[in-house]
Amino acid sequence: MAHAESLDAHDTERTPLIEHGAVESQSTSGSLPTPTKKLSDSTALPRNWRPIVVLLLLNAVQPLAYELVFPFINQMLVELHVVEDPEQVGFYSGLIESIFSVCSFITILPLSFAADRYGRKPVILLGITGLGISLLFFGMSRSFLALIISRCIGGGTGGVWAAVKVMLGELTDKSTQDQAFIGLMVSYRMGQIVGLPIGGFLAHPERHWPGIFDGPYWRTYPFALPCFVGAGFAFFSVWCGMILLPETLYRPTKQALTITVHADETGNVVPEVQPKPAQKASWRSIMTRDIIALLLSNFLGCLSSELLFTVYALFAFTPIESGGLGFSESQIGASLAIRAFIQIGIMFLYGPLAAHPWVGAGSAVRMYKIAMFVWPISCACYPLLSMAARAGMDVNGIVFWAWMCGFFTIWSLAGLSWPAISIMSNNAAPSAEALATLNGITQMALVVPQGFAPAFTTSVFAYCVERQLLHGYLQWVIFSVIASIGAIQSLMLKEPTHDWREDARVAREADTTPLPAGSE
């Protein structure tokens, strides 16, 4: 009967000798050859920007689909007789808005696993197609249940955003990822900026352009046109992706092998070659102490961002004597548009600032820490603006709006934490196999504060203003403390010591290295 025995005292019974087509020998006898090919320092990952542009186009679809319905959702609910009293529409519109994020949260990890199994490209393209289909259904919905179902479809397929970040990380290396992730943030903001006017201007086309859209269909479905335009953009992006987007999930062309050495009945050494099971990233390898600190910082950074964004419209609308700015709806819209363009301009400064030796010094972690400490400063600007308005400064004057532009600039500098945290999440992956899972988890850490921050922020603001706690400024103390906690926690983050891209490059080169004679 055969029994296993070791060829060397330091060898294990089962030693993997061939990985991705490369031969690895742990035996001191030197009986098996080892590769002598020198690995080059150049990356094997593509540097073609054409698929990156297409990926950014696909990235803009989700915020566009999410924001597009906001301008007309309240009127749509009234016209569908979901509510009879317009003052009661807030609950139902809030439910429709939140269900999108809830479904995205549920599907992020399953879609990340699917991207690991079936590829990044099919998951992304199918997800964006689902977003387009959900918009078509939403525009033709005639009941509250149909609206909810269509938003569930859109939110569920919207979880592919994590796969978009994974593919972008695989299309770039450390020398090109900064500009690519800046483009990711800019395309996301552009989707938001474009989605709102599409929803506002194209609703009820039979009223605005009766010569073109005067027909029974448009009177029956007055909110279909903006949804059709949004769906058309989604389908066009998918078509571009089908043609120009490559698959970035690496699959070795050679089977990894494990050689088992044992002795037969005559005492002769007999090698047995078997396929080695594909390795998957374990949760223990992903959820390290440094990764947990990164996820916590991701959560706190998103919470700080959501606090400032959610409270702004309410703060600007609140009367001056109550601690706000007393802006009209048009002034609020104009100020948000100004902020959006300032933010996009500031985003393009990320690369120079990150490379500057006195600022980022080439480190995304350092850049992120600096940006996180700008969030408390941004919170402190709110009461300063309120004090200026209460002191009698004309909120319609040039001086005050210059102050507002300064505030938006500081706010946008804090927003540089977004491209930094995206780069950090990709760099922190312990392996290429863990990249999609890690990005899915980080995306979940972003969705959670997006779900509860609006209700928390507006409740705290309304309570403090109504009771004039600390002269109506207590809410800014609370928000600044939360932002400061996030800034202090970011000091725990460390530079990654391992580069999964190098592992992927080595695997690709090993996969193209010829097998030694007799090993196939």
Side-chain angles (χ1 to χ4, degrees), residues 442-465:
T442 56
Q443 187 64 24
M444 292 173 69
L446 293 177
V447 174
V448 171
Q450 290 175 349
F452 76 84
F456 169 77
T457 305
T458 54
S459 299
V460 170
F461 182 89
Y463 183 83
C464 294
V465 168

Side-chain angles (χ1 to χ4, degrees), residues 54-370:
V54 175
L55 195 62
L56 300 184
L57 187 68
L58 290 163
N59 181 63
V61 175
Q62 184 188 17
L64 184 146
Y66 180 71
E67 304 277 349
L68 183 143
V69 305
F70 286 173
F72 61 78
I73 183 60
N74 294 327
Q75 184 63 30
M76 188 177 190
L77 291 171
V78 172
E79 294 187 15
L80 292 179
H81 302 289
V82 176
V83 294
E84 298 299 334
D85 185 358
E87 295 183 359
Q88 299 176 354
V89 77
F91 169 78
Y92 296 94
S93 63
L95 182 60
I96 289 176
E97 293 170 10
S98 62
I99 198 69
F100 190 97
S101 298
V102 171
C103 291
S104 294
F105 178 84
I106 294 173
T107 60
I108 285 173
L109 271 185
L111 289 175
S112 298
F113 294 148
D116 276 340
R117 182 176 180 86
Y118 302 107
R120 324 299 191 201
K121 181 176 179 178
V123 170
I124 293 173
L125 295 184
L126 287 175
I128 300 302
T129 301
L131 276 173
I133 293 173
S134 72
L135 283 176
L136 292 178
F137 287 163
F138 193 91
M140 294 185 293
S141 296
R142 298 296 299 167
S143 67
F144 183 69
L145 179 60
L147 294 176
I148 291 293
I149 293 175
S150 62
R151 288 302 266 181
C152 286
I153 296 174
T157 56
V160 300
W161 197 59
V164 171
K165 294 170 63 178
V166 170
M167 177 175 271
L168 188 62
E170 292 171 333
L171 285 170
T172 59
D173 56 27
K174 284 193 172 182
S175 65
T176 58
Q177 66 177 352
D178 285 6
Q179 295 300 322
F181 278 96
I182 291 168
L184 190 75
M185 297 298 107
V186 171
S187 67
Y188 193 90
R189 299 303 178 199
M190 290 302 297
Q192 291 177 318
I193 293 173
V194 172
L196 289 172
I198 288 178
F201 294 144
L202 298 185
H204 277 291
E206 79 284 358
R207 298 177 183 174
H208 304 302
W209 305 283
I212 302 175
F213 298 99
D214 186 18
Y217 181 85
W218 301 109
R219 287 193 291 270
T220 304
Y221 303 102
F223 305 101
L225 183 59
C227 295
F228 289 172
V229 172
F233 177 74
F235 297 145
F236 171 76
S237 301
V238 170
W239 178 76
C240 292
M242 292 175 62
I243 298 175
L244 301 174
L245 203 61
E247 177 55 67
T248 59
L249 178 63
Y250 170 67
R251 293 185 175 94
T253 58
K254 297 174 183 175
Q255 175 67 55
L257 304 176
T258 298
I259 295 182
T260 304
V261 179
H262 65 277
D264 59 14
E265 296 179 353
T266 63
N268 294 325
V269 176
V270 179
E272 180 182 352
V273 181
Q274 296 177 339
K276 183 179 179 181
Q279 295 181 346
K280 293 184 179 180
S282 65
W283 281 93
R284 179 176 296 181
S285 68
I286 297 175
M287 301 303 291
T288 62
R289 181 178 299 179
D290 292 341
I291 295 296
I292 293 174
L294 179 65
L295 295 175
L296 179 58
S297 187
N298 209 3
F299 172 86
L300 293 173
C302 183
L303 179 59
S304 300
S305 176
E306 288 297 315
L307 290 177
L308 264 70
F309 182 77
T310 303
V311 80
Y312 176 76
L314 187 57
F315 163 74
F317 181 76
T318 301
I320 295 176
E321 57 273 15
S322 298
L325 300 181
F327 278 2
S328 64
E329 293 180 356
S330 60
Q331 286 177 309
I332 294 174
S335 63
L336 285 174
I338 293 172
R339 172 192 170 266
F341 285 108
I342 291 177
Q343 186 178 36
I344 291 176
I346 293 293
M347 281 291 176
F348 288 106
L349 296 179
Y350 178 88
L353 290 175
H356 198 284
W358 292 356
V359 187
S363 169
V365 176
R366 181 173 175 177
M367 193 68 189
Y368 177 75
K369 293 176 181 178
I370 294 173

Side-chain angles (χ1 to χ4, degrees), residues 308 312 335-347 349 353 367 370-371 374-375 377-379 381-382 385 400-417:
L308 264 70
Y312 176 76
S335 63
L336 285 174
I338 293 172
R339 172 192 170 266
F341 285 108
I342 291 177
Q343 186 178 36
I344 291 176
I346 293 293
M347 281 291 176
L349 296 179
L353 290 175
M367 193 68 189
I370 294 173
V374 183
W375 285 117
I377 301 175
S378 302
C379 289
C381 291
Y382 277 94
L385 291 171
F400 187 84
W401 278 91
W403 280 40
M404 290 290 293
C405 290
F407 164 55
F408 292 148
T409 301
I410 295 173
W411 189 356
S412 299
L413 287 172
L416 292 178
S417 60

